[in-house]
């Protein structure tokens, strides 16, 4: 688990840097993060319904919040600076 990957995922979604998000999806060691990113990218490129995109983004942000909490509890290092707060 690398907290920097979660920080990057939030930054890339916030800035709509989809190419960088795709690279992160391939490089991260966190399979769940990779799958959540895959869902976001698929929804963004192929869905015509904004609600689907919003749900995928919200699920990604929820997972990142959860992973950050687990990292804080395990003492794996400091959490990242940006908290999504559950907003998509």
């Amino acid at each position: 688990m690398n907290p920097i990957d979660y920080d990057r995922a939030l930054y890339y979604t916030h800035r709509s840097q989809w190419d960088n998000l795709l690279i992160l999806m391939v490089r991260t060691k966190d399979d769940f993060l990779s799958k959540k990113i895959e869902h976001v990218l698929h929804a963004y490129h192929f869905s015509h319904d904004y609600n689907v995109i919003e749900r995928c983004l919200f699920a990604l942000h929820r997972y990142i919040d959860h992973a950050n909490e687990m990292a804080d509890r395990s003492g794996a290092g400091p959490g990242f600076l940006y908290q999504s707060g559950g907003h998509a």
Side-chain angles (χ1 to χ4, degrees):
M1 178 165 52
N2 187 356
I4 292 174
D5 286 349
Y6 307 127
D7 193 24
R8 287 179 181 159
L10 286 172
Y11 179 78
Y12 296 152
T13 57
H14 176 71
R15 303 288 293 181
S16 299
Q17 295 181 353
W18 309 119
D19 292 339
N20 288 332
L21 195 61
L22 177 66
I23 292 168
L24 177 63
M25 179 186 82
V26 172
R27 290 185 178 171
T28 188
K29 302 289 187 215
D30 186 336
D31 292 334
F32 289 114
L33 178 61
S34 180
K35 191 53 110 172
K36 296 291 184 186
I37 291 171
E38 179 184 357
H39 288 246
V40 168
L41 292 175
H42 187 271
Y44 181 78
H45 288 288
F46 298 111
S47 180
H48 299 290
D49 184 3
Y50 183 74
N51 290 328
V52 173
I53 300 168
E54 187 177 38
R55 277 194 304 264
C56 290
L57 278 170
F58 186 68
L60 173 64
H61 289 179
R62 271 196 331 243
Y63 174 70
I64 290 171
D65 283 342
H66 169 74
N68 188 42
E69 283 182 25
M70 294 298 107
D72 286 345
R73 287 184 189 170
S74 69
F80 48 87
L81 299 175
Y82 177 78
Q83 295 270 339
S84 72
H87 299 292

